[in-house]
Amino acid sequence: MTSTDSPDCLFCKIVAGDLPADVVASSDSAVAFRDIAPKAPVHVLVVPKEHYPDVPALAASDPAGLAAVVALADGVASELADGQYRLVFNTGPKAGQSVFHVHAHLLAGGELPGFA
C-alpha cells in the first residue's frame, strides 16, 4: 500500500508535504521528524514513506523498508545525540499506537528512565 492509498492518514500527509513537520532527516524510503509531544530530549518519529498500519505489516511486506527505518533512526541518533538511543514501535491502541501508519519513536539525549 502506498502513501497515496491512505489520504486521511496524518503521517501520509506529512510524507507528501501536505502537512508541516520539523523534518530532521530523510532517505529514499523513510522520513524522520520531531514528535510534537516529546518524551525525551531527542524524540523523533521515523516513518516509512509507504503506508503500513504497524511494524508487523511492514516487516512482512517490506523487510528492506523496515531496515531503512532503523538505519535512518540510527543516523539521526548519531547526529542529534551521542548515538545511544531507544527505538520503540507501538503496535495497537492498547500499546499506545494512536496513528496507524507504522512509526518508530527514537528516544535519546541523556539518561532515559525505565527498562533498566
Side-chain angles (χ1 to χ4, degrees):
M1 178 182 299
T2 65
S3 59
T4 57
D5 290 333
S6 297
D8 295 327
C9 173
L10 176 69
F11 291 168
C12 288
K13 290 178 182 180
I14 290 172
V15 167
D18 296 336
L19 286 178
D22 185 0
V23 175
V24 297
S26 65
S27 69
D28 289 342
S29 55
V31 176
F33 52 91
R34 293 188 190 276
D35 193 293
I36 61 170
K39 306 294 188 235
V42 175
H43 187 168
V44 172
L45 302 179
V46 185
V47 305
K49 290 182 178 178
E50 297 292 321
H51 182 94
Y52 296 93
D54 53 35
V55 73
L58 175 59
S61 298
D62 186 6
L66 177 55
V69 167
V70 173
L72 186 58
D74 186 64
V76 169
S78 293
E79 287 188 30
L80 300 182
D82 60 3
Q84 298 180 57
Y85 58 93
R86 182 177 298 154
L87 195 60
V88 177
F89 290 90
N90 297 328
T91 302
K94 290 181 182 177
Q97 185 178 9
S98 59
V99 177
F100 292 90
H101 180 130
V102 62
H103 55 287
H105 291 262
L106 168 63
L107 304 163
E111 295 289 326
L112 299 174
F115 301 110

